[in-house]
Amino acid sequence: MVFLFVGLIIVGNLHADERPIRIGLTPVILEDQLRFLESWRRYLEQELGREVQFLRRNSYGEIVDLALRGQVDFAWLCGFPYVRNEGALDLLAAPVFKGAPRYQSYLIVPASDTETRDLMDLEGGIFAFSDPNSNSGWLYPEAVLRRHATSAERHFERTFYTWGHRRVIEAVAHGLAEGGAVDGYVWETLARVEPELTGRTRIVNRSDAFGFPPVVATPAADPATRQAVLEVLLSMDESERGRQLLEALNLDGFQQVEPELYDSIRRLSREVVQ
Amino acid sequence: MLEALSYRVKVPLNISLVILTTVVIITLTLLGYSYRQIDREMLHSGESLGRVLAKGVSAAMLRDDLWSVWDTIRSPTDVALDEALRPDVVTVIDGTERVFASTVPTRFRVLSRPSEVDARYAGLPAWRDDGTQPETTHLWIDSDSLLVLAPVLVDGSLIGTVLLEYRRPAFLDRFGGALGQVALITALILLLMLPVGWWMGLRVARPLQELAALMDRIGSEHPNRLRESLEPAAPAGGDEINRLRVHFHQMLGQLAEKESLEGQMVRADRLAALGRLTAGIAHEINNPLGGMLNALSNHRRRGASDPATERTLSLLDRGLNQIRDIVAALLVEARLQSHDLSPEDLADVETLVRSDTSSRGVMVDWAVEVRRTLPLPSTPVRQVLMNLALNAVEAAGEGGRVRIRVTAEAGALLVSVCNDGRHISAQQMEQLFEPFSPGEASGEGTGLGLWVSYQIVQQMEGQIDVRSDVTETCFTVRLPLRFGGGGT
């Protein structure tokens, strides 16, 4: 109550001349659910007392670029680009999925393929990655292949990027790709919305848990705004409307996390990129 | 089976059949026409879509962006196009003629060669890099599948080809709904036309049925009655049924005439036989009768008997004389040897008849147009005229009218006697000229008048006819002027 009151005073003080808060989104969530995003944006505007803009681009890379150049204030992106740009980007919060700020990378194949047991079985196949800047959608499977002394380029006949986890699921479901690497959280969330689509895929492997794609603050975000956004995110599960939005996101809430949560991704990054 | 049906059913049935056949033929023609149009539409739509897709995928192919290419080519299969104009398969092949992406990736796997996957794709025309700009083209890869090929060009050079496979929809898939609709409309038309057909059937069948019913009645009813129940035929020159009607009408008339002639002949035969019989009997009776009367006369001449015997003899005398009179009446012997018929003879008959009628209040219209003596025996003619006239007066009754005409024409004397009294029934007519006939007005006469007249006329080789209806009964006698009297 007191919090809300303070919020309202902030609205009164800041609304007039502050520039909008710009948040860059990547396909770490089902970012094509426009109606949901619009209601979430309004929620944030109401809670922050400031105009909020969501920015989306074709790939992770473009959002990362915008973040590094300070053209967005915050970005929700994968742990992989975060660990590569730790110096410029600050961890703000990570979503809580099934009780923990962690997720997995899924290896999926078409449901008709009942043979494949792991990534190595897909040798000579057509493989779909989601994004070269995605941990679950590229880094992890590439690292697995490296451990087997090969690489995607050599192991598969053809690979391609879909620039989105949802599209990896589509490509595999339609048989365009014979295998794909996808964000487990996206797959699980899509399974609730479009079970007939995920039903045409089969999960072959689930990776170890990684730190969930975090919300990061860019150099453009001043400390007060960071604090305000953090508080709104952390308190989302306290209001009815916030809980509805979290439910739509298939998340439990947000929590502050330590950089160490992403150590496993740092290791993979070092293995593959260097 | 159809032949056994009545025209009342056959005509509407035929009309329905004609409608049905017409509708089916027109429908099939129209549907066939638009079905053939599908090929053109498919080709037209395929070439436009091919060009659009080729342009759409060129940048992505250059970037080697498989996803974007695939996302582009699958859009026509997602968007709700007319089913016939929706490509079945869209495949993009690269410069080495290997699959870049296909909307049916399970069949056309990425990097596979279409000709190896699907034999129908074997004969694709290869674009030649000879400087000429490749054009969008097409070919039928089987009887129902059209393949449209659109070159993917970047800066004038070929980097791939978009292949759109169209499958001609099955006729029923395309027009099943239309056929249903046609069936419904046909049913509605038939529903409207059936009453009309029924009415026309009735119109055609009614005169035929009428004639058929009349024909069935021939034999059981008199042709004249059938003829009356047949409506007067329309003017000649009508249709076949009308002509049939006219001829049937005529035929019934002839039939009636024939029957009447036959009746007359039967009656004449009977009367002739009766005449011979009565003459024979009369002769046989006359011989003993004459003897008996002579014996009686002789006995009387010989002297008186006692009174009782005298009474008996007198009784016998009267009885025998009565027998002689009756036999004489039955045995008509026209006395042909008498003087020729003169107008005065006829005037005498008039006088006698009028004396009888004046007291009865019967109006007699007597018209004799005989101005000269005719070669006919006067006595039998007078007897016949007298008989007929008195019968007519009797039949006319109180206040009745009797019309008598006597005319002479070339070779014959014509006598006609009519009265407006009770008419003679057909049953009475049959036995009219027989002795003691129930038809003869037997109030006063002997009941032999007509019999006698008939016999006389027969002996004079003439004709006697009678015609009776509710208004009038007429006897006509025609006597040929052949029997010259010979006497004075």
Side-chain angles (χ1 to χ4, degrees):
Chain A
M1 201 52 193
V2 173
F3 187 79
L4 190 69
F5 186 60
V6 172
L8 283 174
I9 293 170
I10 294 169
V11 173
N13 289 343
L14 302 179
H15 194 256
D17 52 342
E18 292 286 351
R19 60 172 177 76
I21 298 176
R22 298 156 304 177
I23 303 175
L25 295 181
T26 58
V28 294
I29 56 165
L30 289 170
E31 47 36 289
D32 51 1
Q33 289 174 295
L34 288 182
R35 272 174 57 194
F36 160 73
L37 286 181
E38 180 57 20
S39 61
W40 191 32
R41 192 183 66 79
R42 285 185 188 194
Y43 171 83
L44 293 176
E45 279 188 347
Q46 193 183 330
E47 296 293 317
L48 291 166
R50 277 176 64 179
E51 190 183 345
V52 172
Q53 288 178 351
F54 281 161
L55 281 84
R56 280 166 293 158
R57 290 293 181 269
N58 281 334
S59 63
Y60 285 39
E62 289 173 63
I63 291 293
V64 172
D65 269 359
L66 291 177
L68 294 177
R69 279 186 275 144
Q71 288 179 352
V72 292
D73 302 300
F74 301 93
W76 191 353
L77 39 70
C78 186
F80 179 38
Y82 158 67
V83 298
R84 295 187 68 189
N85 300 284
E86 270 179 297
L89 307 174
D90 297 322
L91 267 184
L92 195 68
V96 182
F97 174 54
K98 291 186 176 170
R102 295 175 193 280
Y103 80 126
Q104 293 163 294
S105 169
Y106 287 181
L107 171 64
I108 57 171
V109 293
S112 56
D113 174 1
T114 54
E115 301 293 313
T116 304
R117 291 277 158 259
D118 58 34
L119 200 54
M120 301 318 289
D121 289 345
L122 288 169
E123 186 173 1
I126 313 292
F127 198 83
F129 291 114
S130 59
D131 194 297
N133 279 302
S134 165
N135 168 55
S136 60
W138 180 75
L139 181 64
Y140 170 71
E142 179 69 18
V144 170
L145 291 171
R146 295 288 174 93
R147 281 172 207 160
H148 285 88
T150 180
S151 69
E153 206 174 321
R154 276 177 282 158
H155 187 62
F156 301 115
E157 187 178 14
R158 174 93 159 88
T159 62
F160 62 96
Y161 297 106
T162 65
W163 315 104
H165 292 287
R166 183 206 157 92
R167 294 172 181 178
V168 170
I169 299 169
E170 275 186 69
V172 171
H174 287 98
L176 180 67
E178 288 152 1
V182 68
D183 183 324
Y185 153 75
V186 172
W187 193 96
E188 298 290 349
T189 307
L190 192 64
R192 302 203 315 178
V193 188
E194 289 180 56
E196 66 278 9
L197 184 63
T198 51
R200 292 165 68 183
T201 65
R202 178 171 71 88
I203 301 168
V204 174
N205 270 326
R206 291 176 171 83
S207 72
D208 297 333
F210 296 103
F212 204 102
V215 177
V216 296
T218 75
D222 59 70
T225 311
R226 291 179 184 209
Q227 189 58 33
V229 170
L230 177 64
E231 280 169 5
V232 168
L233 289 178
L234 294 182
S235 64
M236 264 183 82
D237 60 346
E238 289 167 16
S239 70
E240 181 61 30
R241 185 138 172 256
R243 273 194 296 274
Q244 282 175 5
L245 292 166
L246 286 170
E247 170 67 18
L249 276 167
N250 194 24
L251 294 174
D252 302 331
F254 287 87
Q255 74 176 51
Q256 276 186 295
V257 291
E258 297 302 320
E260 290 72 39
L261 179 65
Y262 301 96
D263 279 351
S264 54
I265 297 178
R266 281 189 193 93
R267 270 198 302 280
L268 293 182
S269 175
R270 274 197 298 276
E271 281 175 30
V272 173
V273 179
Q274 281 167 2
Chain B
M1 192 192 84
L2 204 68
E3 286 74 15
L5 289 175
S6 161
Y7 271 99
R8 210 175 46 201
V9 179
K10 241 190 273 187
V11 170
L13 213 61
N14 282 336
I15 289 177
S16 306
L17 231 90
V18 167
I19 293 173
L20 209 64
T21 313
T22 312
V23 168
V24 166
I25 289 175
I26 291 179
T27 305
L28 287 181
T29 309
L30 289 179
L31 291 188
Y33 175 75
S34 60
Y35 188 58
R36 286 194 301 278
Q37 287 294 96
I38 289 179
D39 287 359
R40 282 183 50 192
E41 286 176 28
M42 244 164 41
L43 186 57
H44 185 76
S45 152
E47 292 193 338
S48 323
L49 187 60
R51 286 192 195 97
V52 170
L53 289 181
K55 185 143 184 65
V57 301
S58 62
M61 277 187 84
L62 212 55
R63 289 200 313 267
D64 199 26
D65 187 347
L66 198 157
W67 171 265
S68 296
V69 170
W70 186 71
D71 208 28
T72 304
I73 60 173
R74 72 180 175 147
S75 52
T77 56
D78 286 347
V79 178
L81 285 171
D82 181 348
E83 205 170 331
L85 303 180
R86 188 184 301 168
D88 232 31
V89 183
V90 182
T91 305
V92 176
I93 54 175
D94 59 19
T96 64
E97 290 181 7
R98 300 210 294 175
V99 172
F100 192 91
S102 172
T103 55
V104 188
T106 45
R107 180 142 60 102
F108 296 108
R109 185 177 176 268
V110 174
L111 293 180
S112 66
R113 290 185 184 279
S115 55
E116 287 167 7
V117 178
D118 190 332
R120 299 175 309 154
Y121 280 63
L124 300 190
W127 309 115
R128 284 177 207 292
D129 205 5
D130 54 3
T132 56
Q133 191 88 327
E135 293 285 336
T136 299
T137 180
H138 70 274
L139 73 155
W140 287 90
I141 51 176
D142 65 32
S143 57
D144 282 327
S145 299
L146 174 76
L147 196 68
V148 174
L149 295 86
V152 181
L153 301 165
V154 175
D155 196 23
S157 56
L158 187 77
I159 61 167
T161 310
V162 178
L163 309 173
L164 297 100
E165 183 185 332
Y166 285 87
R167 177 162 285 276
R168 182 157 45 196
F171 188 83
L172 273 184
D173 286 349
R174 179 76 172 156
F175 293 116
L179 285 178
Q181 214 165 356
V182 166
L184 187 74
I185 289 172
T186 311
L188 281 177
I189 293 177
L190 284 181
L191 214 62
L192 280 174
M193 288 307 290
L194 268 183
V196 177
W198 193 258
W199 176 77
M200 288 178 73
L202 279 184
R203 244 177 74 99
V204 170
R206 200 194 303 120
L208 285 176
Q209 282 182 312
E210 216 172 57
L211 288 176
L214 279 177
M215 273 183 225
D216 289 344
R217 279 159 63 193
I218 287 180
S220 59
E221 283 180 51
H222 195 272
N224 263 340
R225 277 190 51 194
L226 298 180
R227 200 166 179 228
E228 281 159 20
S229 55
L230 190 65
E231 282 174 31
D239 56 22
E240 288 83 352
I241 292 177
N242 213 3
R243 272 158 50 198
L244 199 63
R245 212 181 162 83
V246 169
H247 286 304
F248 191 56
H249 197 258
Q250 287 171 356
M251 201 188 84
L252 283 176
Q254 288 164 359
L255 202 61
E257 207 173 312
K258 182 170 160 259
E259 269 187 23
S260 135
L261 274 173
E262 277 173 3
Q264 278 176 22
M265 279 171 67
V266 168
R267 273 196 302 277
D269 282 354
R270 197 165 63 222
L271 287 170
L274 215 50
R276 287 194 298 275
L277 182 66
T278 46
I281 293 173
H283 276 296
E284 294 305 315
I285 290 174
N286 268 348
N287 288 337
L289 194 63
M292 280 190 275
L293 283 169
N294 275 339
L296 211 57
S297 163
N298 286 338
H299 181 74
R300 278 210 175 122
R301 236 182 283 145
R302 273 201 303 273
S305 311
D306 61 288
T309 309
E310 192 60 36
R311 276 203 303 279
T312 306
L313 291 178
S314 177
L315 188 71
L316 282 170
D317 192 35
R318 285 198 305 276
L320 290 171
N321 272 309
Q322 195 178 349
I323 290 171
R324 190 186 57 189
D325 288 349
I326 291 171
V327 169
L330 277 172
L331 182 65
V332 180
E333 294 265 19
R335 272 172 293 169
L336 303 176
Q337 301 300 315
S338 68
H339 67 81
D340 284 356
L341 185 70
S342 65
E344 289 77 26
D345 290 320
L346 297 172
D348 288 349
V349 178
E350 181 180 5
T351 312
L352 283 168
V353 171
R354 284 201 189 280
S355 69
D356 186 55
T357 56
S358 52
S359 60
R360 294 179 185 241
V362 176
M363 258 188 58
V364 178
D365 172 11
W366 190 283
V368 174
E369 286 167 16
V370 177
R371 304 273 176 266
R372 59 185 175 95
T373 302
L374 296 172
L376 280 172
S378 62
T379 312
V381 176
R382 280 168 54 163
Q383 196 180 350
V384 169
L385 183 58
M386 192 73 182
N387 275 345
L388 292 179
L390 290 178
N391 267 354
V393 168
E394 174 91 21
E398 182 89 31
R401 290 175 68 96
V402 172
R403 194 161 48 82
I404 296 167
R405 294 271 179 283
V406 183
T407 53
E409 64 172 44
L413 178 76
L414 293 181
V415 176
S416 112
V417 179
C418 301
N419 74 77
D420 61 354
R422 255 183 324 113
H423 103 108
I424 306 168
S425 71
Q427 200 186 357
Q428 289 170 332
M429 197 71 90
E430 282 295 303
Q431 299 167 351
L432 192 63
F433 293 106
E434 292 171 16
F436 314 110
S437 147
E440 190 172 8
S442 51
E444 289 179 21
T446 55
L448 289 169
L450 284 174
W451 160 253
V452 169
S453 299
Y454 182 86
Q455 296 297 327
I456 291 172
V457 171
Q458 287 303 116
Q459 286 168 28
M460 292 173 74
E461 296 183 8
Q463 287 175 346
I464 180 163
D465 286 311
V466 64
R467 170 175 65 76
S468 180
D469 57 37
V470 273
T471 56
E472 216 177 32
T473 301
C474 278
F475 286 83
T476 26
V477 177
R478 183 190 162 91
L479 296 170
L481 300 181
R482 186 169 349 151
F483 289 87
T488 47

